[in-house]
């Protein structure tokens, strides 16, 4: 089986690190569990440009991305999957963050193939590479790709309001919500 795995907030614990820096800079008390969609500005009382600027300074120009922690069980879970399946990473990146991302993956997750894309092309890349399963935390990516292949929706606060059972019933798709890497590996190994 060919398994496509998203990077941010499936393998790498990105949002808590962004919030830590935003809270420090703007004196906000926002916790990851309060974020109900990817666009954090509404929860922080900030403009998207302010968030983008901080991400640029801390994670692109600074060393923030180099020190991001992995999600609990992600590295060993990925290794277990790779022992029985073909695994590749597919994630959204701007041009100026490509090398930082590739270096991070090589340093922290062994050297899995990485496909960097804009969000509109993730479905096309997965299909072109013959993925038979996607693991992602994005509700929109999950909906789009589930029309073609099964998807594991990695549970995060910003996708908890999504009713995958109803969506599956209405659209004849197979989205399975997973809450941990341990659950993923028990389903696939």
């Amino acid at each position: 089986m060919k398994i496509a795995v998203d990077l941010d907030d499936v393998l790498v614990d990105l949002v808590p690190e962004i919030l830590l820096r935003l809270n420090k800079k703007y004196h906000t008390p926002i916790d990851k569990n309060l974020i109900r969609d990817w666009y954090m500005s509404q929860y922080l009382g900030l403009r998207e440009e302010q968030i983008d600027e901080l991400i640029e300074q801390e994670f692109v120009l600074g060393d923030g991305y180099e020190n991001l922690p992995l999600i609990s069980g992600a590295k060993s879970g990925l290794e277990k999957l790779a022992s029985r399946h073909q695994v590749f990473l597919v994630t959204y990146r701007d041009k100026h963050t490509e090398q930082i991302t590739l270096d991070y993956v090589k340093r922290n997750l062994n050297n899995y193939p990485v496909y960097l894309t804009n969000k509109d092309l993730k479905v096309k890349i997965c299909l072109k590479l013959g993925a038979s399963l996607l693991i992602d935390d994005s509700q929109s990516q999950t909906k789009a790709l589930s029309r073609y292949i099964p998807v594991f929706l990695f549970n995060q606060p910003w996708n908890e309001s999504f009713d995958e059972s109803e969506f599956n019933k209405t659209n004849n798709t197979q989205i399975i919500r997973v809450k941990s890497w341990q659950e993923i590996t028990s389903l696939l190994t």
Side-chain angles (χ1 to χ4, degrees):
M1 179 184 314
K2 289 185 178 180
I3 302 173
V5 183
D6 180 42
L7 191 62
D8 298 326
D9 298 300
V10 172
L11 294 168
V12 178
D13 214 3
L14 178 62
V15 167
E17 294 297 315
I18 291 172
L19 289 174
L20 180 74
R21 289 164 170 78
L22 286 169
N23 286 334
K24 183 177 178 182
K25 182 172 182 173
Y26 295 107
H27 309 288
T28 54
I30 303 301
D31 177 79
K32 171 183 162 178
N33 293 317
L34 298 175
I35 304 297
R36 293 294 172 209
D37 65 48
W38 182 245
Y39 300 100
M40 295 180 238
S41 60
Q42 63 184 317
Y43 305 101
L44 296 162
L46 302 172
R47 295 183 322 277
E48 279 299 319
E49 299 81 36
Q50 290 173 292
I51 295 171
D52 291 345
E53 178 185 312
L54 179 123
I55 291 171
E56 174 85 16
Q57 289 173 355
E58 296 281 333
F59 294 94
V60 178
L61 301 175
D63 64 354
Y65 204 84
E66 292 177 15
N67 300 310
L68 288 174
L70 293 171
I71 298 261
S72 177
K75 186 173 183 174
S76 62
L78 207 56
E79 289 168 354
K80 284 179 186 173
L81 291 185
S83 72
R84 299 190 67 185
H85 306 284
Q86 186 178 347
V87 174
F88 60 91
L89 310 182
V90 58
T91 193
Y92 168 76
R93 284 293 181 274
D94 291 324
K95 284 283 183 204
H96 62 282
T97 59
E98 287 180 358
Q99 193 58 52
I100 295 167
T101 302
L102 295 172
D103 292 345
Y104 179 90
V105 169
K106 186 175 184 179
R107 191 174 51 255
N108 295 286
L109 292 166
N110 299 330
N111 209 11
Y112 296 99
V114 180
Y115 297 89
L116 305 172
T117 181
N118 67 46
K119 58 187 164 204
D120 298 327
L121 292 178
K122 189 183 269 190
V123 170
K124 290 178 186 173
I125 286 177
C126 288
L127 294 175
K128 182 180 177 185
L129 294 171
S132 44
L133 175 72
L134 170 68
I135 304 169
D136 207 311
D137 65 303
S138 166
Q139 182 176 320
S140 62
Q141 295 296 329
T142 297
K143 286 179 180 179
L145 204 53
S146 69
R147 298 182 190 288
Y148 305 99
I149 62 173
V151 178
F152 284 179
L153 178 62
F154 198 85
N155 194 63
Q156 291 290 2
W158 47 89
N159 65 38
E160 286 179 344
S161 65
F162 175 60
D163 184 350
E164 67 276 6
S165 297
E166 184 60 33
F167 188 83
N168 286 338
K169 208 178 336 174
T170 307
N171 296 282
N172 196 28
T173 56
Q174 187 178 2
I175 299 171
I176 300 165
R177 184 177 296 272
V178 292
K179 296 186 178 187
S180 68
W181 272 95
Q182 182 179 5
E183 183 178 0
I184 292 168
T185 58
S186 70
L187 290 169
L188 295 174
T189 56

